[in-house]
Amino acid sequence: MNQAVKEPNSYLDAPHGVASWLLTKDHKRIALLYLISITVFFVIGALFAASIRVELLTPEGDLFSADLYNKVFTLHGVVMIFFFLIPSIPATLGNFLVPIMCGAKDLAFPRINLLSWYLYLIGATLTLAAVALGGVDTGWTFYTPYSSMASNTNVTIAALGVFIAGFSSILTGFNFIVTIHRMRAPGLTWFRMPLFLWANYATSLVMILGTPVVAITILLVGAERALGFAIFDPRMGGDPVLFQHLFWFYSHPAVYIMILPGMGVISELVAAVSRKQIFGYSFVAYSSLAIAIIGFLVWGHHMFVSSQSIYAGLVFSIITMIVAVPSAVKTFNWTATLYKGSITWDSPTYWVIGFMGLFLIGGLTGLFLGSMGLDVHLHDTYFVVAHFHYIMVGGGVMAFLGGIHFWWPKMTGRMYPEVAGKISAVLVFVGFNLTFFPQFVLGYLGMPRRYHAYPEEFQILNVLSTSGAAVLGTGYLLILFYLVASLFKPRNAPANPWGATGLEWEIPSPPITLNFETDPIVTEDAYNYAGRARKAGEK
Amino acid sequence: MQSTFPLFPQAASSIASDVDLLYFFILAVSSFFAVLVSALVVYFALRYRRTHADEVGHDIHGSIALELLWTVIPFILAMVMFFWGADLYFRIARPPADAMEIFVVGKQWMWKVQHPEGVREINELHVPVGRPVRITLGSEDVLHDYYIPAFRVKMDAVPGKLTTMWFTATKTGSYHIFCAEYCGTQHSGMVGQVIVMEPNDYEAWLAGGRSTGTAVENGEKLFTQLACITCHKTDSSGRGPILTGVFGSTVDLQDGRQVVADENYLRESIMNPQAKVVRNYQPIMPTFQGTVSEENLLQLIAYIKTLKVAAPATAPAAAAPRGGQ
Ligand code: HEM
Ligand SMILES: [Cu+2]
């Protein structure tokens, strides 16, 4: 295939103009639109996070008022979860790669894909409007009856924003499922699919099955606030715990919406950096489905001390422990893939190793929380905060950034400075651990989450955490800087800079609008490095 | 008191060291796997580093034996953690029958405490060392959570129902109480101290406190004041069911269901009487929602619980609402 030459008819070049972007039906352009939007929201969310960390430098609540602090952590959670992490990998890398990996020219429904971005924007704008009007203070979990009856902040608007954004992820999921079912190239059987497709398929299932439930729940909160419907408010005969059931029925699976695509990215990267078939391919593929399905049955593990029946708690606990197993299986398979690989030390490798370290800790600390007797102590403390940040930021965001570093040349046609890619991975890894590891200790000591002021003896650990956040923030800023800077340089990326397999590496960087000059036919398994080398040797 | 830079919490209840033991077990297992996998990843990445540009990895596809191994071993370990944790949880959730009972009501943003002898306090909780204490927990507004890290216990205070937690303090001293469920502006100010005292000090403290009547006495007064007594008489001439012996008994409802009359049943029958109407009675009881505060409610329940059938038949088993149905 053609190398490194500037393709005049790449998707980035033709057609020109703002309208050609804002009305585009090209999945690759939509991926970039999403990438820009989620980056904006990541920066906003990170500013809120920085504010939280600075406030917590001292035990007294001195920087912000209590109300302002409550709004800051609420908005941090809402923005990061609904407007950054949930769309992060599926809507950017997924949008870009799912059709290409299928060997298709676009997603099944390009217009719906564009619609999903606009829905996302409308939802996001509403949430920003809620901020501008004075904020929301319910926590990202919107627990009733506080959210429905007590809070006098802009809950309805923010909730409406989340509600609308939910439809954008339903549409994305729907589009992926149809595309993967109907549009795979000849020869691309299910078990030849790259694992990134499997992961997005599983994620899409969760998106379309789970999101409607949270959407309805949010509507019910709105109905109770605005119209006085008695659903969650006990004074009118409602049940506040019912909300928690409905909320976690979606939001636990939603945590898998946030991590499964990351697992898919890591599978691609592990194979590419070690130039080797993924060890136990079918186990890795099926474990995604297992996680997606079993993940719907564990929501009650957020409610061990909520007054839910203790027998229900038992069931949720045992299933929680079971769902940990497929995650462990994936980790072992990735590790085994490295065995006797040919391992490069290019920057994607740094992200892979960083992911493995952090995801391990995140997953293992889930076991502490799934074990009921221990969760009584740990629930709603900083231990939980540390746990889910290890998974969602240590796992999810590391994988996202790893994927961005891996596919950046394909998406933009540019290479970034390798050294910078490595330094930022190390900064992020070190900064992350320094920020969140002390929070495990704080949590076991008993520091509750969502505290504006705290007892003095917790200060040293909090100061450590804040200093880690500074390192972490520097790492993220560095990435933003060199990736944006690379856009101002001439295109220099070859079609296949990593020497990787996969349909996306057989087309130019950046690809043409229709992806493929001639429709591809697939004749081999994914990651067939050894097979290709054998063939090359025979020649 | 706490040191200024603790890394591990004090353990001051009978259950605390059991919780810590499980914690250390899971910590040991997790550390083992974290170190094992990280070491392998780094070792492989260094040992098999690419030596020339065209090199590819070995042609290895997988191994069923290994897959089984690393499915079964984590599964077994996870099950050990499950059973251990579940056993511990049941011990934490079920108060012993002989526990003394203290009422705690959360409201934005304070904890109101009522001792059985009638002494009240706010944000502090005095308890004797060595005696099981059962806390019956209510909320006047939104969700709260009564959390005592040194005892390793917490429980949500849920508006609209009563929940229970219990502990036996094992060391005198004072320990943090935190509200652990976000509840609005002063959530982080909804904190206090448990003060664990020698039993005689506790008695002395109680004697020195201003008692406004025991919970039962107050409940009895309310029962008259609120005119409950006009319908709930001690003989069958009343328009409402006889309440003597009702606590812990099985009640037949209008719709054919049967329920055990625990504290949450009594609570609901006062606040939302139409929800469960007793067989052969009319749904005429008014709701006391808004008239009866959460604390009054606890007093009424305390009183109703003392209405036992004269001839001491079999004592009703302590029906402990951890919540749920
Ligand atoms: C290895 C398997 C995992 C287990 C056994 C596990 C277990 C748990 C448990 C029991 C809780 C509730 C703790 C509490 O509130 O007291 C929890 C909280 C949480 N977990 Fe996990 N978890 C696992 C993996 C994950 C993954 C993969 C994610 C996300 C990508 C995740 C994200 C979260 C979040 C967001 C929360 C807290 C949400 C909140 O309260 O705001 N966990 N986890
Ligand atoms: Cu969960």
Side-chain angles (χ1 to χ4, degrees), chain A residues 140-141 248 252 255-256 258-259 301-302 304 320-321 323-324 327 359 362-364 366-367 369-370 375 378-380 384 387-388 391-392 449-450:
Chain A
W140 79 277
T141 45
W248 288 115
H252 181 81
V255 306
Y256 292 113
M258 299 179 238
I259 196 66
H301 66 206
H302 297 269
F304 290 142
T320 299
M321 289 307 199
V323 81
S327 300
F359 180 70
L364 288 166
L367 297 171
L369 300 170
D375 186 61
L378 294 174
H379 174 69
D380 269 349
V384 175
H387 157 70
F388 68 73
I391 298 269
M392 303 203 301
R449 62 195 286 202
R450 299 175 172 174

mmCIF file of all heavy atoms in Angstrom, chain A residues 140-141 248 252 255-256 258-259 301-302 304 320-321 323-324 327 359 362-364 366-367 369-370 375 378-380 384 387-388 391-392 449-450, ligand 1:
data_model
loop_
_atom_site.group_PDB
_atom_site.id
_atom_site.type_symbol
_atom_site.label_atom_id
_atom_site.label_comp_id
_atom_site.label_asym_id
_atom_site.label_seq_id
_atom_site.Cartn_x
_atom_site.Cartn_y
_atom_site.Cartn_z
ATOM 1 N N TRP A 140 -23.324 13.398 41.684
ATOM 2 C CA TRP A 140 -23.685 12.865 40.356
ATOM 3 C C TRP A 140 -24.714 11.758 40.476
ATOM 4 O O TRP A 140 -25.344 11.373 39.495
ATOM 5 C CB TRP A 140 -22.441 12.358 39.605
ATOM 6 C CG TRP A 140 -21.953 11.010 40.022
ATOM 7 C CD1 TRP A 140 -21.145 10.739 41.096
ATOM 8 C CD2 TRP A 140 -22.217 9.737 39.405
ATOM 9 N NE1 TRP A 140 -20.902 9.391 41.182
ATOM 10 C CE2 TRP A 140 -21.544 8.744 40.152
ATOM 11 C CE3 TRP A 140 -22.953 9.339 38.281
ATOM 12 C CZ2 TRP A 140 -21.586 7.387 39.830
ATOM 13 C CZ3 TRP A 140 -22.995 7.984 37.962
ATOM 14 C CH2 TRP A 140 -22.316 7.029 38.737
ATOM 15 N N THR A 141 -24.932 11.256 41.689
ATOM 16 C CA THR A 141 -25.849 10.146 41.892
ATOM 17 C C THR A 141 -27.305 10.599 42.075
ATOM 18 O O THR A 141 -28.196 9.755 42.084
ATOM 19 C CB THR A 141 -25.421 9.358 43.132
ATOM 20 O OG1 THR A 141 -25.106 10.304 44.176
ATOM 21 C CG2 THR A 141 -24.171 8.556 42.865
ATOM 22 N N TRP A 248 -28.898 2.588 40.220
ATOM 23 C CA TRP A 248 -27.748 1.683 40.074
ATOM 24 C C TRP A 248 -28.021 0.586 39.067
ATOM 25 O O TRP A 248 -27.097 -0.016 38.534
ATOM 26 C CB TRP A 248 -27.322 1.112 41.430
ATOM 27 C CG TRP A 248 -26.660 2.160 42.269
ATOM 28 C CD1 TRP A 248 -27.121 2.666 43.453
ATOM 29 C CD2 TRP A 248 -25.436 2.858 41.990
ATOM 30 N NE1 TRP A 248 -26.259 3.634 43.917
ATOM 31 C CE2 TRP A 248 -25.219 3.774 43.047
ATOM 32 C CE3 TRP A 248 -24.500 2.800 40.944
ATOM 33 C CZ2 TRP A 248 -24.120 4.625 43.094
ATOM 34 C CZ3 TRP A 248 -23.407 3.652 40.998
ATOM 35 C CH2 TRP A 248 -23.231 4.543 42.061
ATOM 36 N N HIS A 252 -24.549 0.941 37.576
ATOM 37 C CA HIS A 252 -23.484 -0.059 37.644
ATOM 38 C C HIS A 252 -23.100 -0.531 36.245
ATOM 39 O O HIS A 252 -21.930 -0.466 35.893
ATOM 40 C CB HIS A 252 -23.746 -1.247 38.569
ATOM 41 C CG HIS A 252 -22.542 -2.123 38.517
ATOM 42 N ND1 HIS A 252 -21.411 -1.862 39.251
ATOM 43 C CD2 HIS A 252 -22.205 -3.120 37.678
ATOM 44 C CE1 HIS A 252 -20.455 -2.688 38.875
ATOM 45 N NE2 HIS A 252 -20.913 -3.463 37.929
ATOM 46 N N VAL A 255 -20.787 1.733 34.571
ATOM 47 C CA VAL A 255 -19.350 1.711 34.825
ATOM 48 C C VAL A 255 -18.675 0.769 33.826
ATOM 49 O O VAL A 255 -17.519 0.970 33.465
ATOM 50 C CB VAL A 255 -18.986 1.347 36.288
ATOM 51 C CG1 VAL A 255 -19.705 2.250 37.260
ATOM 52 C CG2 VAL A 255 -19.209 -0.104 36.605
ATOM 53 N N TYR A 256 -19.411 -0.218 33.350
ATOM 54 C CA TYR A 256 -18.828 -1.077 32.320
ATOM 55 C C TYR A 256 -18.857 -0.411 30.947
ATOM 56 O O TYR A 256 -18.024 -0.709 30.104
ATOM 57 C CB TYR A 256 -19.521 -2.441 32.314
ATOM 58 C CG TYR A 256 -19.193 -3.199 33.574
ATOM 59 C CD1 TYR A 256 -20.149 -3.482 34.522
ATOM 60 C CD2 TYR A 256 -17.865 -3.560 33.844
ATOM 61 C CE1 TYR A 256 -19.825 -4.125 35.703
ATOM 62 C CE2 TYR A 256 -17.531 -4.194 35.009
ATOM 63 C CZ TYR A 256 -18.505 -4.474 35.942
ATOM 64 O OH TYR A 256 -18.181 -5.100 37.109
ATOM 65 N N MET A 258 -18.001 2.436 30.695
ATOM 66 C CA MET A 258 -16.776 3.229 30.759
ATOM 67 C C MET A 258 -15.517 2.390 30.650
ATOM 68 O O MET A 258 -14.482 2.892 30.261
ATOM 69 C CB MET A 258 -16.763 4.044 32.047
ATOM 70 C CG MET A 258 -17.927 5.023 32.129
ATOM 71 S SD MET A 258 -17.904 5.955 33.663
ATOM 72 C CE MET A 258 -19.478 5.551 34.367
ATOM 73 N N ILE A 259 -15.571 1.106 31.030
ATOM 74 C CA ILE A 259 -14.314 0.356 31.033
ATOM 75 C C ILE A 259 -14.214 -0.658 29.892
ATOM 76 O O ILE A 259 -13.119 -0.927 29.397
ATOM 77 C CB ILE A 259 -14.063 -0.321 32.399
ATOM 78 C CG1 ILE A 259 -12.602 -0.756 32.535
ATOM 79 C CG2 ILE A 259 -14.962 -1.511 32.620
ATOM 80 C CD1 ILE A 259 -11.627 0.354 32.584
ATOM 81 N N HIS A 301 -24.872 -3.940 45.081
ATOM 82 C CA HIS A 301 -23.655 -3.837 45.905
ATOM 83 C C HIS A 301 -23.331 -2.390 46.269
ATOM 84 O O HIS A 301 -22.433 -2.144 47.049
ATOM 85 C CB HIS A 301 -22.464 -4.537 45.252
ATOM 86 C CG HIS A 301 -21.958 -3.932 43.977
ATOM 87 N ND1 HIS A 301 -21.302 -4.668 43.031
ATOM 88 C CD2 HIS A 301 -21.999 -2.682 43.494
ATOM 89 C CE1 HIS A 301 -20.970 -3.884 42.022
ATOM 90 N NE2 HIS A 301 -21.376 -2.673 42.281
ATOM 91 N N HIS A 302 -24.080 -1.454 45.709
ATOM 92 C CA HIS A 302 -23.934 -0.065 46.154
ATOM 93 C C HIS A 302 -24.830 0.220 47.348
ATOM 94 O O HIS A 302 -24.874 1.341 47.830
ATOM 95 C CB HIS A 302 -24.291 0.893 45.012
ATOM 96 C CG HIS A 302 -23.367 0.747 43.832
ATOM 97 N ND1 HIS A 302 -22.225 1.494 43.690
ATOM 98 C CD2 HIS A 302 -23.395 -0.089 42.775
ATOM 99 C CE1 HIS A 302 -21.603 1.135 42.585
ATOM 100 N NE2 HIS A 302 -22.290 0.173 42.008
ATOM 101 N N PHE A 304 -25.446 -1.934 50.311
ATOM 102 C CA PHE A 304 -25.386 -2.878 51.437
ATOM 103 C C PHE A 304 -25.845 -2.249 52.761
ATOM 104 O O PHE A 304 -26.267 -2.948 53.658
ATOM 105 C CB PHE A 304 -23.979 -3.446 51.600
ATOM 106 C CG PHE A 304 -23.566 -4.396 50.509
ATOM 107 C CD1 PHE A 304 -22.271 -4.404 50.018
ATOM 108 C CD2 PHE A 304 -24.475 -5.302 49.965
ATOM 109 C CE1 PHE A 304 -21.879 -5.284 49.018
ATOM 110 C CE2 PHE A 304 -24.094 -6.187 48.964
ATOM 111 C CZ PHE A 304 -22.794 -6.174 48.485
ATOM 112 N N THR A 320 -21.432 -10.059 42.430
ATOM 113 C CA THR A 320 -20.335 -9.105 42.283
ATOM 114 C C THR A 320 -18.991 -9.822 42.257
ATOM 115 O O THR A 320 -18.110 -9.521 41.445
ATOM 116 C CB THR A 320 -20.351 -8.104 43.459
ATOM 117 O OG1 THR A 320 -21.579 -7.391 43.432
ATOM 118 C CG2 THR A 320 -19.200 -7.115 43.353
ATOM 119 N N MET A 321 -18.853 -10.795 43.156
ATOM 120 C CA MET A 321 -17.594 -11.533 43.205
ATOM 121 C C MET A 321 -17.392 -12.322 41.907
ATOM 122 O O MET A 321 -16.286 -12.457 41.410
ATOM 123 C CB MET A 321 -17.604 -12.493 44.392
ATOM 124 C CG MET A 321 -17.515 -11.769 45.716
ATOM 125 S SD MET A 321 -16.097 -10.668 45.710
ATOM 126 C CE MET A 321 -15.860 -10.396 47.441
ATOM 127 N N VAL A 323 -18.515 -11.492 38.921
ATOM 128 C CA VAL A 323 -18.212 -10.640 37.774
ATOM 129 C C VAL A 323 -16.758 -10.160 37.818
ATOM 130 O O VAL A 323 -16.209 -9.699 36.816
ATOM 131 C CB VAL A 323 -19.206 -9.460 37.675
ATOM 132 C CG1 VAL A 323 -18.847 -8.339 38.597
ATOM 133 C CG2 VAL A 323 -19.308 -8.947 36.257
ATOM 134 N N ALA A 324 -16.124 -10.304 38.961
ATOM 135 C CA ALA A 324 -14.702 -9.940 39.020
ATOM 136 C C ALA A 324 -13.857 -10.935 38.219
ATOM 137 O O ALA A 324 -12.777 -10.600 37.732
ATOM 138 C CB ALA A 324 -14.222 -9.889 40.470
ATOM 139 N N SER A 327 -12.898 -10.144 34.525
ATOM 140 C CA SER A 327 -11.888 -9.080 34.459
ATOM 141 C C SER A 327 -10.503 -9.644 34.747
ATOM 142 O O SER A 327 -9.514 -9.269 34.115
ATOM 143 C CB SER A 327 -12.188 -7.966 35.464
ATOM 144 O OG SER A 327 -13.434 -7.390 35.191
ATOM 145 N N PHE A 359 -5.290 -0.625 36.512
ATOM 146 C CA PHE A 359 -6.526 -1.400 36.433
ATOM 147 C C PHE A 359 -6.502 -2.563 37.425
ATOM 148 O O PHE A 359 -7.516 -2.889 38.046
ATOM 149 C CB PHE A 359 -6.736 -1.919 35.006
ATOM 150 C CG PHE A 359 -7.989 -2.725 34.871
ATOM 151 C CD1 PHE A 359 -9.224 -2.109 34.941
ATOM 152 C CD2 PHE A 359 -7.936 -4.098 34.701
ATOM 153 C CE1 PHE A 359 -10.391 -2.861 34.847
ATOM 154 C CE2 PHE A 359 -9.093 -4.848 34.599
ATOM 155 C CZ PHE A 359 -10.322 -4.225 34.674
ATOM 156 N N GLY A 362 -7.393 -1.179 40.716
ATOM 157 C CA GLY A 362 -8.810 -0.836 40.727
ATOM 158 C C GLY A 362 -9.681 -2.072 40.854
ATOM 159 O O GLY A 362 -10.609 -2.118 41.664
ATOM 160 N N GLY A 363 -9.386 -3.092 40.081
ATOM 161 C CA GLY A 363 -10.195 -4.304 40.110
ATOM 162 C C GLY A 363 -10.066 -5.031 41.441
ATOM 163 O O GLY A 363 -11.052 -5.472 42.033
ATOM 164 N N LEU A 364 -8.842 -5.141 41.923
ATOM 165 C CA LEU A 364 -8.641 -5.866 43.181
ATOM 166 C C LEU A 364 -9.318 -5.166 44.352
ATOM 167 O O LEU A 364 -9.860 -5.819 45.243
ATOM 168 C CB LEU A 364 -7.142 -6.039 43.454
ATOM 169 C CG LEU A 364 -6.449 -7.049 42.526
ATOM 170 C CD1 LEU A 364 -4.933 -6.921 42.606
ATOM 171 C CD2 LEU A 364 -6.873 -8.474 42.871
ATOM 172 N N GLY A 366 -12.007 -3.644 44.205
ATOM 173 C CA GLY A 366 -13.429 -3.957 44.100
ATOM 174 C C GLY A 366 -13.794 -5.153 44.963
ATOM 175 O O GLY A 366 -14.906 -5.245 45.489
ATOM 176 N N LEU A 367 -12.847 -6.074 45.135
ATOM 177 C CA LEU A 367 -13.121 -7.251 45.967
ATOM 178 C C LEU A 367 -13.359 -6.861 47.423
ATOM 179 O O LEU A 367 -14.176 -7.455 48.114
ATOM 180 C CB LEU A 367 -11.948 -8.227 45.887
ATOM 181 C CG LEU A 367 -11.682 -8.815 44.498
ATOM 182 C CD1 LEU A 367 -10.386 -9.599 44.481
ATOM 183 C CD2 LEU A 367 -12.839 -9.716 44.082
ATOM 184 N N LEU A 369 -14.733 -4.196 48.396
ATOM 185 C CA LEU A 369 -16.046 -3.565 48.491
ATOM 186 C C LEU A 369 -17.172 -4.558 48.265
ATOM 187 O O LEU A 369 -18.261 -4.412 48.790
ATOM 188 C CB LEU A 369 -16.142 -2.432 47.468
ATOM 189 C CG LEU A 369 -15.112 -1.329 47.651
ATOM 190 C CD1 LEU A 369 -15.115 -0.379 46.469
ATOM 191 C CD2 LEU A 369 -15.385 -0.572 48.939
ATOM 192 N N GLY A 370 -16.888 -5.577 47.454
ATOM 193 C CA GLY A 370 -17.918 -6.569 47.176
ATOM 194 C C GLY A 370 -18.145 -7.493 48.361
ATOM 195 O O GLY A 370 -19.164 -8.163 48.461
ATOM 196 N N ASP A 375 -17.543 -3.930 53.374
ATOM 197 C CA ASP A 375 -18.127 -2.753 52.734
ATOM 198 C C ASP A 375 -18.908 -1.895 53.723
ATOM 199 O O ASP A 375 -19.035 -0.686 53.526
ATOM 200 C CB ASP A 375 -19.039 -3.148 51.570
ATOM 201 C CG ASP A 375 -19.537 -1.920 50.803
ATOM 202 O OD1 ASP A 375 -18.670 -1.196 50.267
ATOM 203 O OD2 ASP A 375 -20.744 -1.663 50.780
ATOM 204 N N LEU A 378 -16.365 0.420 54.581
ATOM 205 C CA LEU A 378 -15.750 1.202 53.497
ATOM 206 C C LEU A 378 -16.737 2.037 52.689
ATOM 207 O O LEU A 378 -16.352 3.008 52.047
ATOM 208 C CB LEU A 378 -15.014 0.249 52.546
ATOM 209 C CG LEU A 378 -13.827 -0.449 53.185
ATOM 210 C CD1 LEU A 378 -13.240 -1.474 52.221
ATOM 211 C CD2 LEU A 378 -12.767 0.568 53.575
ATOM 212 N N HIS A 379 -17.993 1.646 52.713
ATOM 213 C CA HIS A 379 -18.982 2.317 51.892
ATOM 214 C C HIS A 379 -18.982 3.827 52.129
ATOM 215 O O HIS A 379 -18.925 4.281 53.261
ATOM 216 C CB HIS A 379 -20.372 1.755 52.204
ATOM 217 C CG HIS A 379 -21.475 2.483 51.514
ATOM 218 N ND1 HIS A 379 -21.644 2.421 50.158
ATOM 219 C CD2 HIS A 379 -22.426 3.321 51.970
ATOM 220 C CE1 HIS A 379 -22.668 3.178 49.822
ATOM 221 N NE2 HIS A 379 -23.164 3.744 50.906
ATOM 222 N N ASP A 380 -19.070 4.562 51.013
ATOM 223 C CA ASP A 380 -19.118 6.028 51.078
ATOM 224 C C ASP A 380 -17.942 6.673 51.792
ATOM 225 O O ASP A 380 -18.054 7.766 52.350
ATOM 226 C CB ASP A 380 -20.447 6.516 51.684
ATOM 227 C CG ASP A 380 -21.492 6.745 50.585
ATOM 228 O OD1 ASP A 380 -21.109 6.730 49.397
ATOM 229 O OD2 ASP A 380 -22.671 6.943 50.913
ATOM 230 N N VAL A 384 -13.830 4.083 48.476
ATOM 231 C CA VAL A 384 -14.648 3.928 47.268
ATOM 232 C C VAL A 384 -14.210 4.934 46.201
ATOM 233 O O VAL A 384 -14.099 4.604 45.020
ATOM 234 C CB VAL A 384 -16.147 4.092 47.602
ATOM 235 C CG1 VAL A 384 -16.991 4.061 46.341
ATOM 236 C CG2 VAL A 384 -16.596 3.019 48.569
ATOM 237 N N HIS A 387 -11.090 3.571 44.699
ATOM 238 C CA HIS A 387 -11.411 2.400 43.871
ATOM 239 C C HIS A 387 -11.914 2.814 42.491
ATOM 240 O O HIS A 387 -11.399 2.389 41.468
ATOM 241 C CB HIS A 387 -12.449 1.530 44.576
ATOM 242 C CG HIS A 387 -13.238 0.640 43.654
ATOM 243 N ND1 HIS A 387 -12.677 -0.448 43.020
ATOM 244 C CD2 HIS A 387 -14.536 0.690 43.244
ATOM 245 C CE1 HIS A 387 -13.599 -1.023 42.261
ATOM 246 N NE2 HIS A 387 -14.733 -0.358 42.372
ATOM 247 N N PHE A 388 -12.914 3.681 42.459
ATOM 248 C CA PHE A 388 -13.483 3.906 41.128
ATOM 249 C C PHE A 388 -12.630 4.842 40.297
ATOM 250 O O PHE A 388 -12.662 4.765 39.077
ATOM 251 C CB PHE A 388 -14.965 4.269 41.172
ATOM 252 C CG PHE A 388 -15.364 5.588 41.755
ATOM 253 C CD1 PHE A 388 -15.133 6.763 41.079
ATOM 254 C CD2 PHE A 388 -16.035 5.636 42.963
ATOM 255 C CE1 PHE A 388 -15.550 7.975 41.607
ATOM 256 C CE2 PHE A 388 -16.456 6.836 43.498
ATOM 257 C CZ PHE A 388 -16.199 8.023 42.815
ATOM 258 N N ILE A 391 -10.229 2.543 38.573
ATOM 259 C CA ILE A 391 -10.829 1.868 37.430
ATOM 260 C C ILE A 391 -11.098 2.844 36.289
ATOM 261 O O ILE A 391 -10.715 2.616 35.146
ATOM 262 C CB ILE A 391 -12.163 1.224 37.831
ATOM 263 C CG1 ILE A 391 -11.957 0.170 38.899
ATOM 264 C CG2 ILE A 391 -12.859 0.669 36.616
ATOM 265 C CD1 ILE A 391 -11.743 -1.192 38.380
ATOM 266 N N MET A 392 -11.753 3.944 36.623
ATOM 267 C CA MET A 392 -12.265 4.790 35.545
ATOM 268 C C MET A 392 -11.203 5.720 34.981
ATOM 269 O O MET A 392 -11.168 5.975 33.779
ATOM 270 C CB MET A 392 -13.472 5.587 36.047
ATOM 271 C CG MET A 392 -14.543 4.659 36.579
ATOM 272 S SD MET A 392 -16.196 5.338 36.597
ATOM 273 C CE MET A 392 -15.970 6.729 37.616
ATOM 274 N N ARG A 449 -16.627 10.407 51.977
ATOM 275 C CA ARG A 449 -16.536 11.196 50.752
ATOM 276 C C ARG A 449 -17.473 12.396 50.849
ATOM 277 O O ARG A 449 -18.340 12.458 51.707
ATOM 278 C CB ARG A 449 -16.878 10.330 49.546
ATOM 279 C CG ARG A 449 -18.280 9.789 49.584
ATOM 280 C CD ARG A 449 -18.467 8.674 48.585
ATOM 281 N NE ARG A 449 -18.533 9.183 47.227
ATOM 282 C CZ ARG A 449 -19.093 8.528 46.216
ATOM 283 N NH1 ARG A 449 -19.629 7.332 46.425
ATOM 284 N NH2 ARG A 449 -19.114 9.025 45.007
ATOM 285 N N ARG A 450 -17.297 13.323 49.916
ATOM 286 C CA ARG A 450 -18.148 14.508 49.811
ATOM 287 C C ARG A 450 -18.080 15.381 51.064
ATOM 288 O O ARG A 450 -19.064 15.974 51.457
ATOM 289 C CB ARG A 450 -19.591 14.101 49.502
ATOM 290 C CG ARG A 450 -19.658 13.372 48.170
ATOM 291 C CD ARG A 450 -21.032 12.834 47.836
ATOM 292 N NE ARG A 450 -21.030 12.321 46.456
ATOM 293 C CZ ARG A 450 -22.036 11.680 45.905
ATOM 294 N NH1 ARG A 450 -23.139 11.458 46.579
ATOM 295 N NH2 ARG A 450 -21.957 11.255 44.665
HETATM 296 C C1 HEM C 1 -13.344 -6.087 39.534
HETATM 297 C C2 HEM C 1 -14.541 -5.932 39.701
HETATM 298 C C3 HEM C 1 -15.225 -4.868 40.562
HETATM 299 C C4 HEM C 1 -15.793 -5.064 41.760
HETATM 300 C C5 HEM C 1 -15.831 -6.382 42.513
HETATM 301 C C6 HEM C 1 -16.359 -3.811 42.163
HETATM 302 C C7 HEM C 1 -17.051 -3.604 43.329
HETATM 303 C C8 HEM C 1 -17.602 -2.397 43.700
HETATM 304 C C9 HEM C 1 -18.454 -2.211 44.821
HETATM 305 C C10 HEM C 1 -18.926 -3.306 45.751
HETATM 306 C C11 HEM C 1 -18.775 -0.903 44.905
HETATM 307 C C12 HEM C 1 -19.675 -0.226 45.910
HETATM 308 C C13 HEM C 1 -18.912 0.293 47.025
HETATM 309 C C14 HEM C 1 -19.705 1.172 47.923
HETATM 310 O O1 HEM C 1 -20.370 2.100 47.454
HETATM 311 O O2 HEM C 1 -19.646 0.916 49.134
HETATM 312 C C15 HEM C 1 -18.135 -0.262 43.829
HETATM 313 C C16 HEM C 1 -18.223 1.093 43.581
HETATM 314 C C17 HEM C 1 -17.909 1.634 42.369
HETATM 315 N N1 HEM C 1 -17.261 0.988 41.349
HETATM 316 FE FE1 HEM C 1 -16.605 -0.920 41.354
HETATM 317 N N2 HEM C 1 -16.112 -2.883 41.237
HETATM 318 C C18 HEM C 1 -15.429 -3.497 40.217
HETATM 319 C C19 HEM C 1 -15.037 -2.920 39.062
HETATM 320 C C20 HEM C 1 -15.428 -1.677 38.682
HETATM 321 C C21 HEM C 1 -15.324 -1.186 37.357
HETATM 322 C C22 HEM C 1 -14.811 -1.982 36.177
HETATM 323 C C23 HEM C 1 -15.749 0.096 37.390
HETATM 324 C C24 HEM C 1 -15.838 1.123 36.294
HETATM 325 C C25 HEM C 1 -15.323 1.241 35.185
HETATM 326 C C26 HEM C 1 -16.145 0.394 38.718
HETATM 327 C C27 HEM C 1 -16.651 1.608 39.097
HETATM 328 C C28 HEM C 1 -17.221 1.860 40.304
HETATM 329 C C29 HEM C 1 -17.855 3.101 40.668
HETATM 330 C C30 HEM C 1 -18.048 4.310 39.771
HETATM 331 C C31 HEM C 1 -18.259 2.976 41.982
HETATM 332 C C32 HEM C 1 -18.863 4.001 42.921
HETATM 333 C C33 HEM C 1 -19.884 4.850 42.466
HETATM 334 C C34 HEM C 1 -20.307 5.881 43.483
HETATM 335 O O3 HEM C 1 -20.691 5.506 44.597
HETATM 336 O O4 HEM C 1 -20.250 7.064 43.157
HETATM 337 N N3 HEM C 1 -15.943 -0.705 39.491
HETATM 338 N N4 HEM C 1 -17.420 -1.195 43.093
#
